[in-house]
Amino acid sequence: DEHVAKSRENASPHDKWMMDRGEKILGSWPFPLASSKSDFPNEQILLFAIMYGNSDICNGGLEQFFGNHTGGFAPETAEGLELINFTSASQVLWEAMSLFGSPYPREQMSRRETLPSLTGQLSALTDLYYESFSSNDDFDAACEKLLAKSMK
């Protein structure tokens, strides 16, 4: 429709890529995400994870992220954040994942069972996650750079 076309027209290159390829990556999503098990290069898998994961975290914090299916690819989100030099955000995410125990539960229902006991800790970590982005506003540029690298 017209609204979608206008939204796509104004989107950044990595957002357009996400619109085109994101559902295909999600639809072929193996756990764990390994480029050897996917039709997509590892950089594109990590780009998808950080864009989708960060969007969920920015929408409703780490509690929402871990309660939704996006929490299933938290390790790839943290790895991707590290790859684009968002080290502080990556460290916060690894710390949040550690609250769920080891091994990290990829299954959504397992995480949801644990979430009520973690609300306070996840709220504090969400604040730290947001603060890590306030000192580094080059997220879009970093995503563009990773996209360009993945297309070579």
Side-chain angles (χ1 to χ4, degrees):
D1 80 358
E2 185 178 325
H3 177 70
V4 172
K6 192 161 208 77
S7 176
R8 182 171 171 64
E9 178 182 305
N10 295 326
S12 67
H14 66 274
D15 285 332
K16 288 178 185 173
W17 174 85
M18 186 74 166
M19 289 176 206
D20 292 340
R21 303 297 297 268
E23 286 300 316
K24 292 176 185 166
I25 292 174
L26 186 59
S28 67
W29 198 274
F31 287 104
L33 280 180
S35 57
S36 63
K37 297 179 183 178
S38 173
D39 294 335
F40 300 94
N42 194 53
E43 290 91 355
Q44 289 185 15
I45 291 169
L46 296 178
L47 178 62
F48 171 80
I50 60 177
M51 289 181 63
Y52 198 14
N54 185 62
S55 175
D56 207 20
I57 295 167
C58 289
N59 181 265
L62 289 169
E63 191 169 355
Q64 175 177 304
F65 173 73
F66 289 116
N68 289 344
H69 72 279
T70 46
F73 49 87
E76 289 77 20
T77 304
E79 184 182 341
L81 288 166
E82 183 72 30
L83 184 64
I84 64 169
N85 295 317
F86 276 67
T87 307
S88 295
S90 176
Q91 289 171 345
V92 169
L93 198 49
W94 285 116
E95 183 176 346
M97 282 186 284
S98 75
L99 298 174
F100 290 89
S102 182
Y104 174 74
R106 297 242 187 202
E107 294 297 321
Q108 184 177 15
M109 293 314 296
S110 296
R111 293 189 311 276
R112 284 188 172 179
E113 290 172 5
T114 307
L115 274 175
S117 66
L118 302 177
T119 300
Q121 292 166 291
L122 289 175
S123 178
L125 288 169
T126 295
D127 291 342
L128 290 174
Y129 184 88
Y130 293 155
E131 287 172 20
S132 73
F133 273 79
S134 68
S135 63
N136 190 345
D137 58 353
D138 292 333
F139 182 74
D140 286 338
C143 288
E144 295 297 331
K145 186 176 178 180
L146 182 56
L147 177 58
K149 179 182 176 186
S150 76
M151 301 301 242
K152 291 181 180 180

